[in-house]
Amino acid sequence: MISGRALRYFDTVAHCHSLRQAAAQLHIAPTAISRQIDLLASALQTMTEASS
């Protein structure tokens, strides 16, 4: 399942072009963003494998 938090973090990183800037904007640690993006990638991989 894809988390809304992970999508929000991913979107913020994309708009900021920087993990550190996104972390500052979201008021969280960069490692928290990294972890959520890893979870998002895993969820997307699972969905892709299930659909093939």
Side-chain angles (χ1 to χ4, degrees):
M1 178 180 220
I2 295 178
S3 151
R5 177 182 300 165
L7 289 172
R8 186 173 69 247
Y9 290 2
F10 180 82
D11 183 61
T12 304
V13 171
H15 280 95
C16 290
H17 302 282
S18 164
L19 190 107
R20 286 184 187 185
Q21 288 178 2
Q25 182 175 332
L26 293 165
H27 307 286
I28 59 172
T31 54
I33 293 177
S34 181
R35 177 72 179 137
Q36 288 296 317
I37 291 175
D38 286 345
L39 292 171
L40 178 61
S42 293
L44 290 172
Q45 182 177 7
T46 301
M47 290 174 60
T48 302
E49 290 171 356
S51 68
S52 59

